[in-house]
Amino acid sequence: MLIVQGGRSRTGSRPTGIPPREGRAAVWAAAGLLLLLPVLVLLSLLIGTGSSTAGGAWDYLVGDPAARADAQLRLAVVDVRLPRTLAAVLVGVCLGTAGCLLQAATRNPLAETGLLGVNSGAAFAVVLGLTFFGADSPASLLVWALAGGIVASAAVLLFAASGRGGGSPLRLVLAGSALGATFHGLTSYVLLGTRSTFDTYRYWTIGSLAGIELSDLLPLLPLIALSLLTALGCARPLAALGLGDDGARSLGHHPGRIRLVVAGAVSLLAGCAVAVAGPIAFLGLFAPYAARALAGARMTAQLVLSALVAADVMIVADILARIVIRPWETPVSVLLAFVGGPLLVWIARSARLSTEGVPA
């Protein structure tokens, strides 16, 4: 039986006869965010921390012969700004989608990807690679971070799925918290005896898009594409899960399996994001909240809007990171944390927290 609350169904489909105002609002929001994205990409290509001016970068982009002959301009626009701009888009899409999936699956509007142990697992793997395997290049650190994040989240899934009631939100959160604390302790133990490792690890864990190359991003594209397709395929089961486990079962879905599939997609998305940019906090929490405010209970719209919001915010944060203390650069995670901390307090105090599409 379909339950209707506040003029819309709990599954996100609107009963006949009610004007689809939220649907139109979601479409307009998605169109606006999508149109804003290329504008922000262009600004990201024009603005940097170096001596190259925005005018010179514009001349290079429009094909001015003198600008194209300038090796410094090519280095700034093609080799530095273009890869980090694409990385900002990919990291934003990954974190926004992962946060939306996780909040819907756990029915916790304050959930974020750190709950699955991805960040702590990636950090521990980076420390192991630095200390015992000589991994000192950005590409090698990316591989270690991705592998560590996936292995950690896989371990969380195995623990959460074992025993009776496997795959429940509580078991996922408890398993993620326990293993995350374990990995954090092991990371601290290894770092205590290796100062050189600590110096490199400190730079990685601060969270930045500096130094990204296109060759670092290309191997991740198939994993990201697979995870995004999985996320879209989970939209209908997650909408049913919004009715509660019993309601989802009555519609022919298996809540435990839904959460395990979602957790797998979240692990890949968050692992790719952490591998590229290091731990980035708050973005995976804020973007789904904004998406629910725009899309209501429509799960597919939430996923799309969350990805677009996070991508736009990530590019803006990266642009600001280059100019707030120019000629030096601020880590993008610092800017996001500076805004995200007060925002988290505001969200937690919001009276609408439990009424925006993620049932308590």
Side-chain angles (χ1 to χ4, degrees):
M1 180 177 180
L2 192 65
I3 301 174
V4 178
Q5 293 185 353
R8 63 173 181 266
S9 68
R10 292 288 300 276
T11 61
S13 58
R14 182 175 294 275
T16 305
I18 299 179
R21 296 176 183 175
E22 287 185 357
R24 288 197 298 267
V27 170
W28 281 108
L33 291 168
L34 194 59
L35 290 174
L36 180 62
L37 187 59
V39 176
L40 294 175
V41 167
L42 178 60
L43 288 176
S44 180
L45 294 176
L46 296 178
I47 299 173
T49 57
S51 59
S52 300
T53 63
W58 174 259
D59 291 339
Y60 185 91
L61 291 175
V62 298
D64 181 83
R68 288 296 175 96
D70 190 329
Q72 184 177 0
L73 270 178
R74 174 178 175 80
L75 176 66
V77 175
V78 177
D79 297 334
V80 176
R81 298 177 192 169
L82 178 59
R84 70 183 295 166
T85 301
L86 295 178
V89 173
L90 290 177
V91 169
V93 168
C94 287
L95 292 178
T97 305
C100 187
L101 287 173
L102 192 58
Q103 290 181 16
T106 61
R107 284 178 282 178
N108 179 358
L110 296 180
E112 56 98 27
T113 54
L115 285 179
L116 290 184
V118 176
N119 293 352
S120 54
F124 181 54
V126 165
V127 169
L128 288 181
L130 287 169
T131 305
F132 302 110
F133 298 94
D136 54 1
S137 67
S140 60
L141 291 181
L142 185 147
V143 172
W144 278 95
L146 177 61
I150 292 176
V151 170
S153 56
V156 170
L157 294 181
L158 288 176
F159 280 109
S162 61
R164 299 180 59 183
S168 69
L170 180 60
R171 292 178 70 90
L172 279 173
V173 171
L174 290 177
S177 299
L179 284 180
T182 301
F183 284 127
H184 180 73
L186 292 173
T187 299
S188 300
Y189 174 76
V190 175
L191 286 175
L192 286 176
T194 52
R195 180 173 180 178
S196 59
T197 296
F198 178 76
D199 291 338
T200 306
Y201 170 77
R202 181 177 55 184
Y203 176 79
W204 175 84
T205 196
I206 203 170
S208 174
L209 295 174
I212 297 294
E213 299 180 359
L214 286 177
S215 58
D216 298 330
L217 301 175
L218 293 178
L220 300 178
L221 293 180
L223 291 176
I224 295 174
L226 175 62
S227 302
L228 292 177
L229 290 175
T230 303
L232 291 175
C234 290
R236 185 182 294 272
L238 282 174
L241 201 61
L243 294 168
D245 287 9
D246 292 337
R249 291 190 187 96
S250 69
L251 294 175
H253 298 286
H254 193 291
R257 293 174 186 172
I258 295 172
R259 292 192 180 97
L260 290 177
V261 171
V262 166
V266 169
S267 301
L268 286 176
L269 289 169
C272 290
V274 172
V276 171
I280 301 291
F282 297 111
L283 189 58
L285 185 151
F286 163 72
Y289 182 86
R292 285 194 300 275
L294 294 169
R298 290 171 171 81
M299 197 62 226
T300 302
Q302 285 185 32
L303 288 169
V304 173
L305 286 172
S306 186
L308 290 174
V309 167
D312 287 347
V313 170
M314 192 70 185
I315 295 181
V316 171
D318 188 45
I319 293 173
L320 293 176
R322 308 174 204 175
I323 62 177
V324 290
I325 55 171
R326 184 184 283 178
W328 295 280
E329 182 172 328
T330 304
V332 67
S333 63
V334 173
L335 290 177
L336 288 173
F338 182 76
V339 176
L343 184 65
L344 176 58
V345 174
W346 178 78
I347 291 176
R349 292 174 58 87
S350 174
R352 301 169 60 192
L353 185 64
S354 61
T355 61
E356 295 213 339
V358 181

